[in-house]
Amino acid sequence: MTTQEHDASVYEQVQESSEFQDLKRRFRRWTFPMTVAFLVWYLLYVVLSGWARGFMGIKVLGEINVGLIFGLLQFVSTFLIAWAYSRHAEKKLDPIADKLRHEVEAKSK
């Protein structure tokens, strides 16, 4: 068996393992809903900017209007999602990924 064949079989074994499937499930369970939520939030901002100009132009504080607040909240939500994902990955994904990595490294030697 060549090194390439051996490595491929190790990776295939890991891919078929229940731990790897759990890792993928945990990743998808968090990432997909968050992606959908952010896209809905972003599209709401775009739609309101285009078709609800009166609402977006309402002044809230001095010259600051609803559109500006929504625009700034896009940045805030992006950073919050990145922070939340890093916490999620550190607690739920990284331990499993580290364990799988160590198994692959041990089998590849």
Side-chain angles (χ1 to χ4, degrees):
M1 179 183 307
T2 67
T3 304
Q4 268 188 331
E5 290 172 353
H6 176 69
D7 287 346
S9 65
V10 169
Y11 295 122
E12 289 169 355
Q13 289 172 7
V14 169
Q15 185 178 5
E16 293 170 358
S17 72
S18 62
E19 290 170 325
F20 184 76
Q21 298 303 319
D22 183 44
L23 179 64
K24 285 190 342 182
R25 181 181 48 76
R26 288 176 185 221
F27 173 78
R28 289 177 179 161
R29 187 182 290 168
W30 195 93
T31 307
F32 291 171
M34 191 59 65
T35 300
V36 169
F38 181 78
L39 288 174
V40 167
W41 162 236
Y42 175 73
L43 290 175
L44 174 69
Y45 173 66
V46 171
V47 168
L48 289 175
S49 295
W51 287 281
R53 291 183 181 192
F55 171 71
M56 296 295 268
I58 296 173
K59 293 187 178 180
V60 178
L61 184 64
E63 294 297 317
I64 298 173
N65 60 24
V66 173
L68 180 61
I69 292 171
F70 274 31
L72 292 173
L73 286 174
Q74 292 292 316
F75 290 101
V76 172
S77 63
T78 299
F79 288 111
L80 286 175
I81 290 169
W83 172 77
Y85 176 76
S86 71
R87 288 184 47 112
H88 169 73
E90 184 178 357
K91 291 179 182 178
K92 305 284 184 178
L93 305 178
D94 290 350
I96 299 169
D98 288 341
K99 183 175 185 247
L100 290 170
R101 181 176 46 92
H102 290 302
E103 288 176 11
V104 168
E105 289 173 351
K107 290 179 183 179
S108 296
K109 289 182 180 181

